[in-house]
Amino acid sequence: MMSVFLSLALALIFGLLFTRLTSLLKLPDVTAYLIAGVLIGPYCLGQLGIPGIGFTSFEELENVGFISNAALGFIAFAIGSEFKLSQLKKTGKQALVIGVLQAVITTLVVDAALLGLHMLIGGKLSIPAAITLGAIASATAPAATLMVVRQYKAKGKVTDVLLPVVALDDAVGLALFAVSFGIAKAMSGGELDVYSIICNPIIEIVASLALGAVLGVILTQFERMFRSNRNRMAIIIGFVIATVGISMLKFHIGPVEVGFSSLLVCMMLGTVFCNCCPLADELMDLSDRWSAPLLALFFVISGADLELGVFADLAVVGIGVVYILSRCVGKYFGAFFSSALVNADPAVKKYLGITLFPQAGVALGMCVTASALPGDGAIIRNIILFGVLIYELVGPLLTKISLTKSGDIVAPGEEVVHRRERKLEAAKKS
C-alpha cells in the first residue's frame, strides 16, 4: 500500500514539475503529463523495480484504475455543463448535425482506407478487423480537449461547438461500434444478431441518459439543503463519484441486458444540474479547481499506461499509420462538410476537425470489447494502442494551435502574466 501512495505522489509531483519544462516549448500541460507518465511508467523508471519509484508493472496501474474512472466522471460532468439551454438555442442544431455526421464520415473513410489496405496485404488485416477499427475511429477523447480549453481559457465560436460535439461523439460512437462489431462477429463465424446490433446500443444510450437525468434532479434538490459553497462542493463531488459507481452496474430484465455508459450518465448529470441550479456556474468553477489535481494525475497515469511495445511489430505500425492518417482525414473533412451544411462560421469549418483528433478513453473501452473478436482481437488492440499513443501526445498540441488560429485562445496580456511577480514585490515592500 505504501508503494502505491508513493507512486501516486511521484506521478502528480513529477507531472506538475514537467509542465515547467514543456511550458518553455509552449506545449499544453496535457502533453507534459503524458510524457511524465511514460517516463515513470513500466518502460522507464518502472524498469528499476523499486517500489514507490514509478509504476513497475501494468498490474500496478490497474490497481489505481479507480482514479481514472473518477477523473473521467468529472470530465464528463464538466462537459455536460456546456449543454445549457440558452447556449443550445444558438449552437444546438449545429452541434447535433456536426457531431453525428463527422463521426459517420470518419467511420466510412477509415473503413474504406483499411479495406483497401486489406486488398493489398491480405491476411494481416481481415475485413472484420477493418470495419471494427473504422467504428472505433469515430470516438474522440473528451479529456484532452477539455484540459486544453481549461488551461488556455478558450472562448469563441469554435469552442462553443467543440464541447457539445465531443460529448455527442460518445453516443454516436457507441451506436456505430455496436453495429460494426455485430457485423464483424457475424463475418468471423458467428450469427448475425440483429438484437445486439440495434437494441443494445439504443438501450444503453437511453438508460444512461435517463439515469443521469434522475441523478441530476436529485443532486439539484440536495444542493438546496446547504448554505455554504464548501458543503455544496462536497455534495457535488460525492454525487459525481457515486454516479461513476452506479453507472458500472449491469443487470438483466428478462432477456434484455441493461448497462450504462459512465460518460453519458455523468454528462447528463452535469447537463441537468447546470440547467436547474441557479448557482451552477459558481459551483462548476469550484468543481474545476477541486478536480484539477485529479485530472493531472489521470493524464500521468494514462501516459504510464501507454503500451510502447506496439512499436516492435512493424505490421501494426504500418496499419496504425494508415489508421491514424485516414482517421485524421475523416475527422477534418467530416467536420468541414457538416459545418458547411449548417452554415457554421468559417473558423468552425476550418479548425473544428483538427480539435477532434485526440483519442483515448472511449476508444480503449471499445477496444476491450473488440479484443474478443476471434482471430482479430489482438491486432485491433495493438493498432488502437498505437493510435492512442500518437494521438494523445500530438493531439493536445494540435488542438491548442487550432484554437489559437481560430481566435478562441488569446495570448494573456502583460497584466495577467506579471500579476504574481507584482504581488510578490508588493508583499516584500510591506
Side-chain angles (χ1 to χ4, degrees):
M1 182 60 71
M2 181 183 71
S3 63
V4 173
F5 279 104
L6 289 175
S7 295
L8 290 175
L10 175 67
L12 182 57
I13 294 170
F14 194 56
L16 291 171
L17 290 175
F18 211 75
T19 62
R20 299 307 89 203
L21 295 176
T22 54
S23 65
L24 299 176
L25 301 174
K26 301 187 182 302
L27 294 173
D29 287 351
V30 176
T31 303
Y33 296 142
L34 290 166
I35 295 174
V38 171
L39 294 177
I40 66 170
Y43 286 97
C44 294
L45 272 180
Q47 288 287 314
L48 298 175
I50 303 175
I53 307 299
F55 295 100
T56 58
S57 67
F58 288 102
E59 289 73 18
E60 187 177 347
L61 287 165
E62 288 181 7
N63 292 334
V64 295
F66 66 92
I67 293 175
S68 297
N69 291 331
L72 285 172
F74 282 98
I75 290 166
F77 181 71
I79 290 178
S81 68
E82 299 295 326
F83 285 92
K84 296 179 182 176
L85 292 178
S86 58
Q87 184 67 25
L88 289 177
K89 291 178 181 177
K90 300 177 182 177
T91 61
K93 180 182 177 181
Q94 289 185 355
L96 178 62
V97 173
I98 296 171
V100 174
L101 285 185
Q102 59 82 23
V104 173
I105 290 172
T106 300
T107 294
L108 294 176
V109 170
V110 176
D111 278 345
L114 294 181
L115 289 173
L117 188 62
H118 162 76
M119 296 175 67
L120 293 176
I121 63 176
K124 290 190 177 181
L125 179 69
S126 69
I127 294 177
I131 62 176
T132 301
L133 287 166
I136 297 175
S138 64
T140 299
T145 304
L146 181 64
M147 282 290 285
V148 172
V149 169
R150 282 184 178 179
Q151 179 185 349
Y152 296 102
K153 298 178 174 60
K155 289 184 179 180
K157 294 179 179 179
V158 177
T159 305
D160 288 344
V161 177
L162 169 62
L163 293 177
V165 166
V166 169
L168 285 168
D169 249 14
D170 189 23
V172 178
L174 283 172
L176 289 172
F177 177 74
V179 173
S180 296
F181 187 58
I183 295 172
K185 285 195 297 184
M187 294 179 67
S188 295
E191 296 181 358
L192 187 63
D193 187 352
V194 178
Y195 173 81
S196 63
I197 291 176
I198 299 176
C199 296
N200 275 354
I202 294 175
I203 291 172
E204 182 172 342
I205 292 169
V206 172
S208 298
L209 295 178
L211 177 61
V214 171
L215 293 174
V217 172
I218 297 174
L219 172 59
T220 304
Q221 298 302 317
F222 272 51
E223 177 272 332
R224 294 173 181 172
M225 298 171 61
F226 301 95
R227 296 179 180 272
S228 70
N229 280 345
R230 182 170 58 183
N231 289 335
R232 290 189 180 104
M233 192 67 259
I235 197 68
I236 290 174
I237 293 170
F239 252 83
V240 173
I241 294 174
T243 299
V244 172
I246 293 171
S247 63
M248 294 179 180
L249 291 173
K250 286 187 178 181
F251 55 92
H252 286 83
I253 300 178
V256 179
E257 182 182 66
V258 179
F260 305 97
S261 164
S262 61
L263 284 177
L264 281 180
V265 177
C266 290
M267 283 179 192
M268 181 56 75
L269 177 75
T271 299
V272 172
F273 179 72
C274 77
N275 282 288
C276 295
C277 176
L279 300 175
D281 289 339
E282 181 180 348
L283 293 174
M284 289 303 299
D285 287 339
L286 292 174
S287 175
D288 291 347
R289 296 175 189 175
W290 181 91
S291 61
L294 178 65
L295 300 188
L297 190 57
F298 162 73
F299 281 106
V300 176
I301 292 174
S302 297
D305 207 23
L306 290 175
E307 178 61 74
L308 302 185
V310 295
F311 287 111
D313 190 337
L314 292 180
V316 169
V317 173
I319 298 170
V321 169
V322 174
Y323 170 81
I324 290 170
L325 293 178
S326 60
R327 180 178 178 272
C328 290
V329 170
K331 284 292 179 184
Y332 182 81
F333 286 103
F336 183 90
F337 291 128
S338 56
S339 297
L341 186 65
V342 292
N343 297 317
D345 187 90
V348 175
K349 289 191 289 185
K350 188 173 182 180
Y351 295 109
L352 179 64
I354 300 174
T355 65
L356 300 175
F357 287 173
Q359 186 177 46
V362 178
L364 290 174
M366 295 176 181
C367 180
V368 171
T369 302
S371 62
L373 191 66
D376 296 307
I379 193 167
I380 291 173
R381 177 181 180 276
N382 289 337
I383 290 169
I384 295 301
L385 287 174
F386 176 77
V388 166
L389 175 63
I390 302 302
Y391 283 127
E392 286 297 271
L393 293 177
V394 178
L397 177 60
L398 293 177
T399 298
K400 177 202 170 185
I401 293 173
S402 296
L403 292 177
T404 302
K405 293 283 188 181
S406 70
D408 284 27
I409 293 177
V410 180
E414 201 71 18
E415 175 66 23
V416 176
V417 173
H418 297 294
R419 185 181 299 164
R420 176 184 173 87
E421 286 77 4
R422 287 199 297 269
K423 284 186 177 181
L424 288 173
E425 290 177 3
K428 290 178 181 178
K429 291 180 181 179
S430 62

